[in-house]
Amino acid sequence: MSEPALTDELIAAHGLTPEEYARVLKIIGREPTFTELGIFSAMWNEHCSYKSSKKWLRTLPTTGPQVICGPGENAGVVDIGDGQAVIFKMESHNHPSYIEPYQGAATGVGGILRDVFTMGARPIAAMNALSFGEPSHPKTAHLVRGVVEGIGGYGNAFGVPTVGGEVRFHRSYNGNCLVNAFAAGLAETDSIFYSAASGVGMPVVYLGAKTGRDGVGGATMASAEFDDTIEEKRPTVQVGDPFTEKRLLEACLELMASGAVISIQDMGAAGLTCSAVEMGDKGRLGIRLQLDHVPQRETGMSAYEMMLSESQERMLMVLKPEREAEARAIFEKWDLDFAIVGETIAEDRFVILHGNEVKADLPLSELSSSAPEYDRPWIKTPAAEALGEVPEIGAIDGLRALIGSPSYAHKAWVWEQYDTQVMGDTIRTPGLGAGVVRVHGTDKALAFTSDVTPRYVRANPFEGGKQAVAEAYRNLCAVGARPLASTDNLNFGNPEKPEIMGQFVGAIKGIGAACAALEMPIVSGNVSLYNETDGQPILPTPTIGAVGLIDHVDEIIGGCPQLGDLALVLGETKGHLGQSALLAEALRLEAGDAPPIDLDAERVHGEFLCDNRALVNAATDLSDGGLALAAFEMAEAAGLGVTLDTGDIAQLFGEDQARYLIACNFDQAEALMVAAGKAGVPLAQVGRFGGDTVRLGREEVPLSELSALFRGAFAAAIESA
């Protein structure tokens, strides 16, 4: 098969700038082959090389006494004691999910699960953070249905519980939805597997499903903006098979237990190319691949297609040669492909053979660790204008506007499509803050959450970045967990625009400051740039996924108050309404500054709550919607009414940070007040739980009326579109 001539148009279509192509020519001293062009394109695109973000990612705190492995591997590894570790990561599948929502979301789940089990962990929990356009937009309902079905279809069939996440709607996502997938698994600390190849002449083994043409060029597609050629990109979306992935998990864990594995790497973005290059580069070795041995499900595949295919459910491994027969038998038992497709070599080369031809012969290290790195120009986001006079609105009307909007309505329509109980260790399911899963066979539990408020980040990237971490911290503390570490999924627009790069830099600085102050290092993550359509960027959305440890399940703080409980607020309420949910949903205003984040107060208040958990029946953090929304959600989940003493809009809906709503009985409240006085933390009674109405100051309405609105609004918005 003859290869096409390398025209300027073809080079540009591969995402390489003229300067980058000139760098290719200098590195190899000749014009690349078509396959080599594809390899450079795959390794140097934004999705794989992080060329616009590496400079700033290096500033994030990534270490701590609990961290076994930070960024750079398939997932982060954190010690949870007793010889066990939690392994977790969050990644985006934004562009594929907009083009083909079911498969895009499904393969996002499949990819993040492989990132976890390729480290030797059995997945125990999944989450997702989803951002869609306005419900009235003609594509939104289609995307919501497809994405939710794809997540459920893959995760449910694979057999991992989905225990948390978030869903938001905003016009900035009309042309570019966000699908951020999180997975966590458990492993023994002495049985963790890494991707660095070692040893010369070691067999490189292909594992799993066969290679097809689906997903060819997917990583390059994900590193560009959308325009009116979007439909042409449909073939770049991968197709997943969760049942094959389940077999792949079991086969990999069995093989790992046998001691035959030297190193192993998921075939994710850029498929065979990226996995082979990363294994070789981390081990400072070369790789030689013979593509004739690659299992293929389509005929006549070219070297270019095989190297860039992103077919799912595949792994690449360096194997101890004397264990080949044993390893092959394991994969044949699980009805999966096992093929030796190459070997490690001492030379710094990436050699690709197909038929009797050398299709690529490149310096391997130049493809990965020597990829381009840019210090993009950036401008600081201008200070937000002060919030002017807020139009008058009644307290109950404000609450109705929030709970009747799809962003803040009850999300059962979403999470009831997910299996939340598979594996039998889920303690706390979606809908009440952080998800909680028992560490199987122990009394320990892990808590999981994901958080960001994009409005805050746009108005004030630094404070918005801090707030995303702080809210994740509060969500963990609110269930009684000790925060351990974080993963980030940084979704932004085009980094070549200085104002977008300024958002990114500001958010990174805020995230770094909060992670350091709250001792929640970033141990893994993903950057998703070029989230724009026709030049219109998304809201900056740096999602923070976080994990916390609960030493004993008896120490979990509940989420539902009891009849007669008092409502107390831990933390200071000033009534900050800038960029609040009330303004956005009830008044259609996105104005003012983000709330300031006092990281010292965040830590002190979170530790106070956990230290006094025995005096607390239920707790939740106060964030979007402030006290009014949190009190309603807590009461509604318990089937109780609630009375809040104030009718002041700023006090009810202000989004001051470092605050928790606590439910406890009179005796507990009295003891908690004494403890708060000794600790010097602000704690005030604001109301009580009980009855069958919701009362905000002097306004009152039946709980049943608001509950019907709350539980029906999401489905109504999607089904009426």
Side-chain angles (χ1 to χ4, degrees):
M1 184 185 297
S2 61
E3 296 191 340
L6 302 189
T7 63
D8 290 345
E9 292 76 16
L10 186 61
I11 293 164
H14 280 74
L16 294 172
T17 66
E19 294 77 16
E20 288 170 345
Y21 186 66
R23 184 170 178 168
V24 169
L25 297 178
K26 183 177 180 181
I27 288 172
I28 64 177
R30 56 176 171 79
E31 185 177 85
T33 66
F34 183 53
T35 301
E36 289 173 335
L37 176 69
I39 290 170
F40 273 106
S41 167
M43 294 305 304
W44 285 11
N45 66 56
E46 202 71 61
H47 196 73
C48 293
S49 73
Y50 295 89
K51 59 189 176 186
S52 296
S53 57
K54 278 190 290 193
K55 168 185 168 68
W56 297 103
L57 296 176
R58 293 191 189 100
T59 68
L60 291 170
T62 59
T63 60
Q66 73 276 39
V67 178
I68 295 173
C69 177
E73 275 293 338
N74 289 286
V77 185
V78 176
D79 197 327
I80 61 169
D82 304 312
Q84 293 179 302
V86 59
I87 298 179
F88 63 95
K89 188 181 185 183
M90 180 173 265
E91 275 208 343
S92 60
H93 230 223
N94 303 336
H95 283 48
S97 297
Y98 189 78
I99 297 168
E100 178 48 63
Y102 184 94
Q103 291 296 348
T107 52
V109 174
I112 200 67
L113 289 169
R114 287 196 303 280
D115 281 338
V116 167
F117 72 74
T118 194
M119 302 285 293
R122 180 174 291 279
I124 62 163
M127 292 191 298
N128 53 80
L130 312 176
S131 302
F132 298 105
E134 296 169 296
S136 59
H137 188 272
K139 247 198 127 160
T140 297
H142 165 70
L143 291 172
V144 173
R145 292 189 190 102
V147 164
V148 172
E149 287 175 8
I151 290 169
Y154 203 102
N156 297 354
F158 178 86
V160 62
T162 298
V163 299
E166 52 187 341
V167 186
R168 70 178 55 83
F169 296 82
H170 189 275
R171 61 186 177 279
S172 73
Y173 306 108
N174 281 349
N176 200 130
C177 66
L178 302 183
V179 175
N180 295 174
F182 169 100
L186 285 174
E188 301 298 315
T189 55
D190 60 357
S191 301
I192 295 166
F193 290 81
Y194 299 99
S195 58
S198 66
V200 175
M202 297 295 111
V204 175
V205 183
Y206 174 115
L207 307 169
K210 289 179 167 58
T211 294
R213 291 186 171 92
D214 56 317
V216 172
T220 301
M221 175 272 293
S223 303
E225 296 179 34
F226 282 149
D227 53 27
D228 56 9
T229 65
I230 185 171
E231 287 302 316
E232 298 172 15
K233 298 178 172 67
R234 193 170 297 276
T236 63
V237 178
Q238 311 92 330
V239 177
D241 179 355
F243 300 105
T244 297
E245 178 124 331
K246 175 64 172 174
R247 300 200 317 274
L248 182 62
L249 161 72
E250 300 299 343
C252 284
L253 293 183
E254 185 175 340
L255 183 60
M256 290 167 173
S258 75
V261 177
I262 295 175
S263 63
I264 188 165
Q265 172 74 37
D266 160 45
M267 281 197 231
L272 193 53
T273 290
C274 193
S275 56
V277 169
E278 287 189 4
M279 291 177 80
D281 188 57
K282 289 175 183 176
R284 298 185 179 181
L285 292 168
I287 300 280
R288 181 187 293 115
L289 296 179
Q290 173 51 264
L291 299 186
D292 297 285
H293 299 157
V294 170
Q296 299 161 55
R297 68 167 183 262
E298 299 184 48
T299 58
M301 290 189 71
S302 66
Y304 176 95
E305 291 171 327
M306 279 188 272
M307 293 306 297
L308 298 189
S309 168
E310 293 183 10
S311 293
Q312 297 292 285
E313 294 83 46
R314 301 180 302 160
M315 295 281 197
L316 200 64
M317 175 183 68
V318 177
L319 176 71
K320 294 177 182 177
E322 68 274 15
R323 309 295 290 274
E324 178 190 339
E326 180 183 0
R328 185 183 297 276
I330 290 172
F331 273 77
E332 288 178 351
K333 180 184 75 174
W334 287 101
D335 194 23
L336 294 165
D337 279 294
F338 177 100
I340 295 176
V341 296
E343 63 178 343
T344 59
I345 57 177
E347 300 79 18
D348 178 25
R349 308 302 301 174
F350 190 41
V351 181
I352 309 300
L353 307 170
H354 189 216
N356 296 316
E357 297 181 48
V358 176
K359 293 294 185 179
D361 186 354
L362 301 168
L364 187 144
S365 62
E366 299 283 355
L367 293 168
S368 181
S369 55
S370 299
E373 182 176 335
Y374 296 123
D375 186 359
R376 301 277 191 200
W378 60 278
I379 53 178
K380 187 176 180 180
T381 301
E385 294 184 7
L387 180 64
E389 187 174 345
V390 176
E392 288 189 13
I393 185 172
I396 293 294
D397 286 343
L399 181 58
R400 278 198 181 99
L402 288 176
I403 65 176
S405 71
S407 287
Y408 300 106
H410 198 260
K411 301 299 192 304
W413 186 94
V414 175
W415 52 260
E416 284 179 355
Q417 297 187 51
Y418 306 149
D419 191 333
T420 62
Q421 298 286 353
V422 64
M423 300 177 74
D425 284 313
T426 303
I427 297 173
R428 189 156 161 164
T429 55
L432 286 172
V436 179
V437 174
R438 183 191 293 269
V439 177
H440 191 73
T442 77
D443 290 322
K444 295 185 297 187
L446 289 164
F448 304 99
T449 187
S450 68
D451 297 284
V452 67
T453 307
R455 292 188 311 276
Y456 294 172
V457 186
R458 181 178 60 183
N460 190 327
F462 180 69
E463 293 297 331
K466 285 165 61 179
Q467 192 275 340
V469 178
E471 187 175 344
Y473 177 87
R474 289 198 304 273
N475 274 326
L476 297 176
C477 291
V479 298
R482 172 168 53 89
L484 288 177
S486 309
T487 180
D488 57 12
N489 202 152
L490 307 174
N491 308 273
F492 289 82
N494 184 344
E496 297 168 45
K497 298 177 179 178
E499 65 274 16
I500 299 294
M501 198 64 204
Q503 293 176 344
F504 183 86
V505 172
I508 284 280
K509 290 181 176 180
I511 290 167
C515 286
L518 301 175
E519 296 187 17
M520 289 170 56
I522 298 286
V523 298
S524 59
N526 170 245
V527 178
S528 175
L529 302 176
Y530 296 96
N531 289 290
E532 302 198 5
T533 298
D534 295 327
Q536 298 301 308
I538 61 163
L539 285 178
T541 311
T543 308
I544 299 295
V547 177
L549 177 65
I550 301 169
D551 292 325
H552 197 285
V553 293
D554 291 344
E555 297 177 349
I556 296 171
I557 299 174
C560 290
Q562 298 173 17
L563 179 64
D565 275 355
L566 302 181
L568 286 74
V569 168
L570 169 62
E572 188 176 4
T573 301
K574 295 180 179 178
H576 184 97
L577 286 173
Q579 298 299 330
S580 65
L582 178 74
L583 261 61
E585 297 295 344
L587 302 172
R588 297 292 182 255
L589 290 175
E590 294 180 20
D593 200 357
I597 312 299
D598 182 337
L599 293 170
D600 289 336
E602 293 285 2
R603 182 155 186 166
V604 169
H605 297 173
E607 290 177 350
F608 176 83
L609 176 62
C610 290
D611 289 345
N612 292 278
R613 70 186 83 201
L615 299 174
V616 175
N617 288 337
T620 185
D621 85 300
L622 297 190
S623 51
D624 282 40
L627 171 61
L629 182 59
F632 169 78
E633 289 179 337
M634 188 183 270
E636 200 274 345
L640 295 172
V642 62
T643 296
L644 297 179
D645 298 329
T646 182
D648 181 78
I649 292 299
Q651 294 288 307
L652 287 170
F653 296 98
E655 295 180 5
D656 307 279
Q657 302 293 295
R659 296 187 303 156
Y660 299 84
L661 176 62
I662 294 170
C664 53
N665 64 37
F666 181 85
D667 291 340
Q668 291 171 320
E670 198 169 44
L672 205 56
M673 287 288 189
V674 172
K678 290 179 180 178
V681 300
L683 182 69
Q685 182 184 340
V686 295
R688 64 207 59 81
F689 294 96
D692 57 5
T693 65
V694 174
R695 184 179 180 89
L696 306 180
R698 295 180 179 178
E699 298 182 54
E700 190 171 18
V701 67
L703 172 67
S704 58
E705 178 184 322
L706 295 183
S707 183
L709 173 62
F710 180 55
R711 290 184 175 261
F714 191 96
I718 299 307
E719 291 165 6
S720 66

